[in-house]
Amino acid sequence: MFGTVESNTPIKIIVDQKLVLTEEYLILTKNVTDHWVDIEVNHYTVNDAFLNTTHAHPDAGVNSFDSHHKHQYQGRKKIMIYNGLLPGEKVILIRLQGGQKYIVLDRINNHTVTGEWV
Amino acid sequence: MMYELIINHNGSIQQPILLDDVVWSTERKGQPGKLTFSVYNDGLLKVDEGNPVSFKVDGKNVFYGFVFKRSWNKDKIINITAYDQLRYLKNKDTYIYKNKTATELIRMIADDFRLNVGVLEDTGYKIEKRVEDGETLFDIILNALDLTLENKKKLYVLYDDFGKLTLKDIETMRVNLLIDENSGENYDFSSSIDGSTYNQIKVVYENESTGKREIYITKDSSNINRWGLLQYFETIDEKVNGRAMVDALIELYNKKENNLTLNNIVGDIRVRAGTSVLVQLDLVDFKLQHWMLVEKASHKFKKDEYFMDLQLRGGGLN
């Protein structure tokens, strides 16, 4: 079955007018909650001239040099996955055996993202 | 016997002449009270589905309900079936409730479906939370009464008392009526462990916070020796007192089930499904003297006679 998120703190999902599910009836998967995860990376950044540095050195006049370079980006990193539900989002629900709880499996709509994207 | 059957057709009060028997039947749970009767269609009688019908015997209220079905043939005899307002509990709907007693739930449903309410005894057990999605109102209410029974060991009966929804503890519904060998034509008695008899109770709670199943077990070893192991198993959804629950369940189920069917005994309008009567029978291997619960009652009001058929259930015999 499907529902619409009415509010997220505290969580409230409306299936129909008579079936309004609050926290105690819901089991939220990691698909629909903000949570930390560790990732492992081993990359170089792109060769970037972002600095485009020009600066003076004493007794040497103004020097210009090619600032193109890349960095290594490596190791185990902790990141936050913003999967938490927002009001108005549509979700898929599965009723648990016995019928007294619902698993919020996933959202149907695309994420609303607000992070940086160059 | 004075019978008074009234059909109210859009405000016109009619008292048709009754043919054959008027039969009033009730069941302890999940079914509305039913009245069937036949009338002669003299062309003047006006009756339609939904019309209120009341039936009184010697001035005493017996049945109040609504016409749900009419059938007739060449002979101009109309057979009418009416149900009391419990019929409307066959409707399905969705309810979600928290911290309510069965009594409060019934009151809420009665209010939503505009049913008339009489005396609803307080069941005194608050159900923590419950979702009922697309279930009959009967099931929604019976689930609440089952939860009450399992946790409080109290059995309640919901019935319609002449047009008013009524909820009573079965303990308070004893009718001072003695039934023995001479009461009916014959009787059919059975003793059994084949139905809902259990001597070991296992209740499982799926604990979300620990990710484990919590198991509660209780048993009666002496009855396991007598009957073999008969296990009751249930998964519960919420954290209730598991220990108290298995203790209540073993008390309910760890006994033989007795069923007694009696036909054509002298009628008594006090005996409806949900009441208890005192039964005294000299059975081959033992004497039975016990209060038994009326599971089904069918009262047959004939022209000069009044009989009833009863299906009784009892436990507590060993």
Side-chain angles (χ1 to χ4, degrees), chain B residues 40-51:
Chain B
Y40 184 67
N41 185 4
D42 55 8
L44 295 170
L45 179 72
K46 295 268 190 287
V47 54
D48 201 357
E49 281 76 18
N51 288 169

Side-chain angles (χ1 to χ4, degrees), chain A residues 45-60:
Chain A
T45 63
V46 292
N47 209 342
D48 196 353
F50 186 70
L51 291 172
N52 202 15
T53 320
T54 302
H55 60 249
H57 287 256
D59 308 318

Side-chain angles (χ1 to χ4, degrees), chain A residues 18 22 24-25 100-102, chain B residues 93 97-98 131 208 237:
Chain A
K18 291 199 83 174
T22 45
E24 57 272 41
Y25 298 100
Q100 295 304 302
K101 286 222 171 191
Y102 295 82
Chain B
D93 207 345
Y97 63 92
K98 280 181 214 171
V131 189
E208 191 186 331
D237 309 297

Side-chain angles (χ1 to χ4, degrees), chain A residues 30 32-39 73 77-84 111 113 115:
Chain A
K30 290 284 170 279
V32 291
T33 44
D34 291 346
H35 59 279
W36 294 103
V37 291
D38 271 2
I39 57 169
Y73 182 62
K77 310 288 178 190
K78 177 176 160 182
I79 60 164
M80 166 70 101
I81 306 285
Y82 287 110
N83 263 354
H111 273 89
V113 286

Side-chain angles (χ1 to χ4, degrees), chain A residues 1 15-16 18-28 95 97-102, chain B residues 93-98 112-113 128-133 135 206 208 213 235 237-238:
Chain A
M1 55 201 277
V15 176
D16 69 41
K18 291 199 83 174
L19 191 59
V20 178
L21 300 168
T22 45
E23 196 182 0
E24 57 272 41
Y25 298 100
L26 297 170
I27 298 167
L28 302 174
R95 207 171 175 196
Q97 189 189 1
Q100 295 304 302
K101 286 222 171 191
Y102 295 82
Chain B
D93 207 345
T94 296
Y95 277 94
I96 184 163
Y97 63 92
K98 280 181 214 171
D112 291 348
F113 285 80
E128 189 197 348
K129 62 184 169 70
R130 187 89 194 156
V131 189
E132 301 283 4
D133 191 14
E135 304 289 340
E206 309 268 0
E208 191 186 331
R213 278 188 161 182
T235 307
D237 309 297
E238 63 212 76

Side-chain angles (χ1 to χ4, degrees), chain B residues 28-40:
Chain B
R28 183 173 63 84
K29 61 173 188 181
Q31 289 296 332
K34 178 177 166 184
L35 192 78
T36 54
F37 55 96
S38 305
V39 291
Y40 184 67

